[in-house]
Amino acid sequence: MFSNNWYAVYVKSRHEFKTYNALVQKNIETFLPVIKILRHWKDRKKMIDFPLFPGYLFVYMEARPEYFLSVLRTKGVVRFLCNDYGRPASISTEEIESLKILLGSPEQINVYPELQEGIRIRVKNGPLKGAEGIIKKKDDSFLFVVNIHILGRSVAVKLYGSDLEVA
């Protein structure tokens, strides 16, 4: 009757690894996607594991109330990501498997907001920080577009997705 699904769990800030270990101790299949990043301190540089999605990890379990409760009672867990009806939203196995494949590749991985043509976005890094505009697709890339409606003109620039957030 119940099937196994992946679910996203929101955890306390900087508790991803502790919560991951606590869930594994409970024999709950857990996936914490991590990347290696170079951290700089005053006296040294070091490659460290860093959560790909800070504040989130994934659990694979049956959609049974007692399993949800077991996860929620784990130290560091705040809540499940839910659908519009307030029920934990399942994630397709294909998405998780694709993410695992990406993480296993030698390619550098960058996290982007879900960029869809026409959505309103804000630049969060770099010299254009704070600028708001919309996304337009041009050929195989996206452009950050600022419209000046009264002039009937627009200006656009290519930006990295990691520098953008949904406004």
Side-chain angles (χ1 to χ4, degrees):
M1 182 171 145
F2 294 103
S3 63
N4 284 5
N5 292 306
W6 284 101
Y7 298 94
V9 177
Y10 179 65
V11 300
K12 289 181 181 178
S13 178
R14 299 187 197 159
H15 280 71
E16 297 89 356
F17 293 101
K18 290 177 188 172
T19 305
Y20 169 84
N21 290 330
L23 288 165
V24 169
Q25 287 291 108
K26 290 184 171 187
N27 292 319
I28 297 171
E29 185 175 347
T30 308
F31 174 49
L32 174 59
V34 295
I35 55 174
K36 295 244 183 240
I37 62 169
L38 183 63
R39 282 290 171 150
H40 298 269
W41 288 274
K42 289 181 182 179
D43 59 338
R44 61 194 153 100
K45 296 178 187 177
K46 183 179 178 182
M47 292 295 286
I48 63 164
D49 286 336
F50 192 79
L52 182 63
F53 306 114
Y56 298 94
L57 49 80
F58 304 95
V59 294
Y60 186 70
M61 60 185 205
E62 284 186 47
R64 298 174 70 127
E66 60 268 25
Y67 294 145
F68 288 120
L69 194 55
S70 178
V71 170
L72 288 170
R73 287 183 172 162
T74 305
K75 186 175 173 102
V77 171
V78 175
R79 64 181 171 85
F80 280 93
L81 269 63
C82 296
N83 59 23
D84 293 337
Y85 305 107
R87 294 194 174 137
S90 64
I91 301 168
S92 76
T93 299
E94 292 78 20
E95 287 179 298
I96 297 295
E97 292 306 317
S98 295
L99 181 57
K100 288 179 178 180
I101 291 168
L102 282 173
L103 289 169
S105 78
E107 302 297 320
Q108 181 177 345
I109 294 177
N110 296 307
V111 178
Y112 298 98
E114 186 174 349
L115 300 178
Q116 298 172 357
E117 189 168 14
I119 65 169
R120 186 146 192 82
I121 57 166
R122 179 181 311 108
V123 180
K124 64 179 184 176
N125 296 317
L128 301 177
K129 182 178 180 177
E132 291 190 18
I134 58 171
I135 285 287
K136 288 283 187 185
K137 188 161 177 59
K138 182 177 181 185
D139 301 324
D140 290 335
S141 61
F142 286 98
L143 297 174
F144 171 71
V145 179
V146 175
N147 293 316
I148 309 299
H149 295 286
I150 200 162
L151 298 179
R153 299 282 189 262
S154 300
V155 293
V157 63
K158 285 185 185 180
L159 290 178
Y160 292 105
S162 59
D163 291 334
L164 305 173
E165 63 186 1
V166 177

